[in-house]
Amino acid sequence: METIVLGIGETLVRDDRRWSSWADWLGVPPHTLSALVGAAVAQGHDATDALRTLRPGMDVEAAYRARSAAGRGEHLDESDLYQDVRPALGELRAAGVRVVVAGNGTARTGELLRALDLPADLVVASAEWGVRKPDPEFFARVAEAAEAPPAATLYVGDHPADDLFPAAAAGLRTAHLRRGPYGHWWADHPDVVETAEFRIDTLTELVKLVGTPGRGSESAGTEAVGTESAGAEAAAAKSTGAEAVGADDGPGPARACTPA
């Protein structure tokens, strides 16, 4: 493993502040919005559908711009990071692994993350690349930023349809993180189990994976799933029209995870 690439929302950054800020903007209790987000996740929908449930027909991008203009836009500080982020990234760097942070977010998201001076070689948000997950072009950019062959690059994320499936379809190695609403709810879905080369609960587990052979190698001892899995195939058909609304890896319908 030469490079490990990590998503942003609910991989490195807690989404508590994001949803609380939206609840405050809309004038509803945070618990109400959180419950609606949970309902959207469980149904395999775009998490921002929770906002449209409260305000039918809401233009989320326009509302985001209005919040920013009112001085109530994005904010990130050290308290928004999960506690294992700095230790895990530091261990990976010490092990000689190139660490890249690349996930969905606005240009402001990228600025705020870089201001935290994370132990990473590159920190970039999707708006800075002009393409969002799960678009295959995003993962083509990830492959370039990795500066390593796909077979030596691991993508880590919580969202099956935005992270796991398209990364696998791009030929990258994958780790599904059981974290956040999507990460927990869909962790045991057959497509996730089949597609994820690794399934982890904390980022500090990553350093132990650095020397792990890829699926299909003689020493791996397991059958390769490859990019022909049902999850990877589902990713190719997934919609890419979600709004850019901050440091979030969640937007986008999790159609590949919707129960039959």
Side-chain angles (χ1 to χ4, degrees):
M1 205 90 69
E2 298 176 28
T3 300
I4 292 184
V5 186
L6 304 98
I8 299 175
E10 291 301 346
T11 296
L12 303 186
V13 177
R14 298 162 53 110
D15 274 350
D16 308 47
R17 187 193 300 272
R18 175 180 182 244
W19 293 115
S20 179
S21 296
W22 273 114
D24 184 55
W25 179 256
L26 296 175
V28 300
H31 174 70
T32 298
L33 182 53
S34 293
L36 291 172
V37 169
V41 170
Q43 294 174 50
H45 294 167
D46 184 334
T48 55
D49 282 355
L51 301 175
R52 300 183 188 91
T53 298
L54 292 168
R55 298 290 184 273
M58 176 181 180
D59 184 330
V60 179
E61 270 193 60
Y64 173 79
R65 291 193 295 271
R67 279 182 50 193
S68 298
R72 296 167 67 180
E74 288 181 71
H75 177 78
L76 284 175
D77 60 33
E78 193 71 20
S79 67
D80 294 301
L81 297 177
Y82 278 98
Q83 292 184 351
D84 59 359
V85 171
R86 285 194 183 277
L89 271 55
E91 289 176 354
L92 292 172
R93 290 284 297 278
V97 176
R98 176 173 171 79
V99 175
V100 175
V101 174
N104 283 349
T106 65
R108 178 63 175 158
T109 302
E111 294 172 0
L112 291 167
L113 280 172
R114 287 189 289 274
L116 294 178
D117 194 25
L118 295 172
D121 297 282
L122 175 67
V123 175
V124 62
S126 60
E128 297 170 310
W129 278 348
V131 62
R132 288 175 57 81
K133 296 184 295 183
D135 193 307
E137 180 58 28
F138 178 92
F139 289 92
R141 296 296 299 270
V142 165
E144 293 176 5
E147 299 182 3
T153 301
L154 180 72
Y155 194 88
V156 183
D158 65 293
H159 196 306
D162 278 4
D163 298 323
L164 177 62
F165 302 154
L172 304 176
R173 301 177 72 179
T174 56
H176 180 251
L177 176 64
R178 188 191 293 264
R179 174 173 288 176
Y182 285 99
H184 281 286
W185 187 260
W186 298 109
D188 297 320
H189 188 280
D191 286 352
V192 173
V193 174
E194 182 182 13
T195 304
E197 183 173 353
F198 305 105
R199 299 164 69 206
I200 60 175
D201 295 314
T202 67
L203 296 179
T204 50
E205 295 174 53
L206 290 172
V207 72
K208 299 177 183 178
L209 306 182
V210 171
T212 306
R215 280 172 166 164
S217 66
E218 291 183 5
S219 57
T222 57
E223 182 179 354
V225 173
T227 59
E228 298 303 316
S229 68
E233 291 174 352
K238 185 177 174 298
S239 169
T240 59
E243 297 82 357
V245 287
D248 175 44
D249 284 341
R255 291 175 183 167
C257 294
T258 304

